[in-house]
Amino acid sequence: AQSVAQPEDQVNVAEGNPLTVKCTYSVSGNPYLFWYVQYPNRGLQFLLKYITGDNLVKGSYGFEAEFNKSQTSFHLKKPSALVSDSALYFCAVKDRGSTLGRLYFGRGTQLTVWP
Amino acid sequence: DTAVSQTPKYLVTQMGNDKSIKCEQNLGHDTMYWYKQDSKKFLKIMFSYNNKELIINETVPNRFSPKSPDKAHLNLHINSLELGDSAVYFCASSQDQLNPYEQYFGPGTRLTVT
């Protein structure tokens, strides 16, 4: 069965500090991995994805994520957080072998960056 | 231009009523989805259509019926609304369902059942 875990409901960081939002996954095959962000009262927006190749993926707004196959993790990172990064972040996984477009989402992590 | 649009944005109705939510995408995508986000922000897929064909039908009450008149539109009709149907419903689309294309989400429809 496919599943995604985001172990932290909430992450708080000071502006200018590095941030990490954690994600681990479980899929029967090899995964495609995604990060989405949701601002208040908005739909989800795509940030970045891992398909193949370099384990470090760069995305929008200065975010990056590192795929670690041995630890089945895909943590989201940013070197220097901004107050405007405060939002709800979702990790998602798609089974590479699936013929459906189904994404399995984590429960979300609320990131708060304070000034 | 809005890529994925939904109407209405807010929907307040009484138990037992029937309501519809409409979704349109102008991205030329083949695949469209309906998600339900509950009060704890948990996101759950409900349905997916690819080129007007139903490909994902999760365990949702049969009071929920999707309809795709063409590949740019995916509507959601809900019969006999219940309190537990209160949630934010998101429509999304992707280029297709086979490849790892990202999904584009609409702004959501906040449904409140009283």
Side-chain angles (χ1 to χ4, degrees):
Chain A
Q2 278 52 259
S3 66
V4 177
Q6 293 181 241
E8 301 155 317
D9 291 337
Q10 184 105 18
V11 170
N12 299 312
V13 298
E15 188 172 34
N17 282 0
L19 70 87
T20 299
V21 182
K22 296 179 180 177
C23 171
T24 59
Y25 64 89
S26 172
V27 295
S28 54
N30 291 319
Y32 297 124
L33 294 155
F34 302 80
W35 275 101
Y36 287 81
V37 60
Q38 185 180 24
Y39 297 101
N41 300 313
R42 303 284 293 274
L44 278 70
Q45 294 177 34
F46 168 75
L47 272 182
L48 51 79
K49 64 184 175 185
Y50 171 79
I51 301 175
T52 188
D54 193 346
N55 289 342
L56 185 64
V57 178
K58 294 188 184 298
S60 307
Y61 312 120
F63 283 93
E64 57 190 28
E66 186 163 13
F67 171 60
N68 187 317
K69 187 173 182 179
S70 62
Q71 297 185 3
T72 61
S73 67
F74 189 55
H75 300 330
L76 181 70
K77 300 182 180 185
K78 188 172 181 180
S80 178
L82 299 172
V83 172
S84 57
D85 293 330
S86 298
L88 185 59
Y89 289 81
F90 289 95
C91 181
V93 63
K94 180 178 184 291
D95 185 346
R96 196 177 289 255
S98 171
T99 57
L100 303 176
R102 180 178 179 150
L103 286 180
Y104 294 85
F105 283 91
R107 297 191 70 90
T109 298
Q110 181 65 48
L111 172 67
T112 301
V113 182
W114 71 81
Chain B
D1 281 346
T2 304
V4 181
S5 60
Q6 295 179 229
T7 54
K9 191 167 173 60
Y10 300 96
L11 188 52
V12 181
T13 188
Q14 291 184 327
M15 284 174 55
N17 284 350
D18 303 339
K19 290 293 178 186
S20 291
I21 307 172
K22 295 187 175 183
C23 177
E24 177 181 2
Q25 54 96 1
N26 62 7
L27 298 166
H29 288 170
D30 285 346
T31 309
M32 296 184 72
Y33 311 82
W34 277 112
Y35 288 90
K36 179 181 180 181
Q37 187 174 45
D38 64 22
S39 58
K40 295 185 178 179
K41 306 295 186 183
F42 182 59
L43 206 59
K44 179 183 174 182
I45 190 165
M46 301 173 71
F47 303 103
S48 175
Y49 273 73
N50 186 67
N51 274 320
K52 303 195 297 174
E53 180 186 349
L54 182 65
I55 58 171
I56 295 175
N57 185 353
E58 283 297 289
T59 313
V60 301
N62 57 14
R63 299 181 293 104
F64 290 79
S65 53
K67 272 213 174 87
S68 182
D70 55 62
K71 76 172 194 178
H73 296 84
L74 180 60
N75 303 323
L76 183 65
H77 188 75
I78 316 170
N79 289 326
S80 303
L81 277 155
E82 300 178 357
L83 292 176
D85 298 332
S86 295
V88 181
Y89 292 84
F90 288 102
C91 177
S93 73
S94 64
Q95 195 159 333
D96 64 41
Q97 88 277 19
L98 293 174
N99 294 296
Y101 294 115
E102 56 268 29
Q103 294 183 14
Y104 291 77
F105 283 75
T109 296
R110 184 175 294 276
L111 172 64
T112 303
V113 183
T114 62

